[in-house]
Amino acid sequence: MLYVKDLHKSYEVGKNKYPVLKGVDFHVAQGEFVAVMGPSGSGKTTLLNCISCYIPFDKGSITVGGVKLAGQNEETLAKIRNTKLGFVFQDFMLLDGLTIRENILVPRIVQGEIGRDAEQLADKLASIFGIEHILNKYPAEISGGEKQRAAVVRSLINNPLIILADEPTGNLDSKSSRAVIESFGNAKAEMNATIFMVTHDSFAASFCDRVILLKDGNIYRQLEKKGGRSEFQDELLDVIKEMSMR
């Protein structure tokens, strides 16, 4: 589904060049829930922005659903963003003047594909994720956890190839965080959704199938969950501690 090969990205400040990604290699399979973790400056956000088609990369390749991103023009990249990728952001990105139902339908509205079928899908997804009771409310009238679950539903309305989530629990309390992460699990179970999540939260990451740990622009380790969630979180914390000491 997602293939990243030998990915390099650097930034230039004046005459200085600062490498951020230094040959990153990994793949995410259809229906897999994968997290990326690492300290500040490890390259997590840059990696997500490259996959999201928001910034160009220097070298390597990113392939999403069989389409290579390098060399595509801006019109094609915009179409990929709108039709192949679903996005969930830390700050929800809901429009205050729209109801939750209308917010969920925004990606379809952008494509000019709003109709009864889209509305029925929005209602179905809202029921799956337990937010059918807030569809006619506005963002200011609901909790942070409900806002983020609405954002997850919005990310699914176009049946994307992959959902890209950027610190989706960063602004939430522990109860809301769990509800949001479980909603990703629902998306995986109910719709075979593929999810790629950047997070600093080991609790959130422990719900994933696999965690990629980045350090200084390189993959330090990849951990696969083989047992229970709690045991996986303990393993993550041990490796994170080990990584910080090297």
Side-chain angles (χ1 to χ4, degrees):
M1 178 56 67
L2 169 67
Y3 292 88
V4 176
K5 293 288 291 181
D6 193 31
L7 189 68
H8 292 255
K9 173 64 182 176
S10 59
Y11 294 103
E12 293 186 11
V13 180
K15 295 182 178 180
N16 297 316
K17 191 172 184 178
Y18 299 94
V20 180
L21 299 175
K22 306 171 185 176
V24 173
D25 283 280
F26 67 90
H27 78 279
V28 179
Q30 172 69 48
E32 193 175 17
F33 186 5
V34 176
V36 176
M37 299 185 72
S40 297
S42 62
K44 303 186 302 296
T45 299
T46 296
L47 174 60
L48 192 67
N49 285 336
C50 288
I51 297 169
S52 303
C53 313
Y54 287 129
I55 61 173
F57 46 91
D58 304 334
K59 178 185 173 184
S61 67
I62 299 174
T63 304
V64 179
V67 177
K68 287 190 175 182
L69 301 187
Q72 302 287 351
N73 60 37
E74 184 53 41
E75 182 179 355
T76 301
L77 292 177
K79 185 175 181 180
I80 290 171
R81 280 194 295 268
N82 291 335
T83 62
K84 306 298 185 184
L85 307 177
F87 297 95
V88 180
F89 303 97
Q90 180 175 345
D91 55 358
F92 320 129
M93 300 293 284
L94 298 178
L95 300 175
D96 292 336
L98 300 181
T99 66
I100 298 305
R101 177 184 276 106
E102 290 166 341
N103 267 283
I104 289 168
L105 290 168
V106 161
R108 288 293 188 98
I109 295 170
V110 168
Q111 291 185 58
E113 295 182 356
I114 190 67
R116 186 58 189 156
D117 288 348
E119 293 176 352
Q120 288 177 341
L121 178 58
D123 290 347
K124 177 183 176 181
L125 290 172
S127 178
I128 290 172
F129 294 101
I131 59 168
E132 65 274 16
H133 60 291
I134 62 167
L135 285 176
N136 294 319
K137 294 186 177 182
Y138 291 87
E141 300 174 319
I142 64 177
S143 70
E146 289 170 331
K147 289 177 184 177
Q148 197 60 294
R149 278 186 282 163
V152 173
V153 171
R154 180 185 58 195
S155 75
L156 289 163
I157 196 68
N158 277 340
N159 296 310
L161 293 176
I162 187 168
I163 296 172
L164 303 175
D166 185 10
E167 299 281 6
T169 63
N171 287 333
L172 304 176
D173 58 32
S174 58
K175 182 179 179 181
S176 295
S177 293
R178 186 178 191 114
V180 168
I181 293 300
E182 287 178 345
S183 75
F184 283 123
N186 288 342
K188 173 181 160 68
E190 298 283 344
M191 304 181 69
N192 198 31
T194 306
I195 304 151
F196 185 73
M197 174 178 72
V198 167
T199 185
H200 68 280
D201 183 1
S202 63
F203 175 77
S206 69
F207 285 81
C208 296
D209 302 311
R210 183 161 48 96
V211 176
I212 299 168
L213 291 160
L214 281 183
K215 182 179 182 181
D216 299 328
N218 294 295
I219 292 180
Y220 179 79
R221 289 271 298 276
Q222 294 195 53
L223 300 178
E224 185 176 345
K225 182 164 65 178
K226 297 177 181 177
R229 187 207 61 76
S230 181
E231 291 79 10
F232 190 40
Q233 184 176 11
D234 290 342
E235 182 182 6
L236 281 171
L237 291 171
D238 287 343
V239 175
I240 290 169
K241 182 179 178 180
E242 170 196 298
M243 184 171 64
S244 70
M245 297 173 66
R246 293 192 174 186

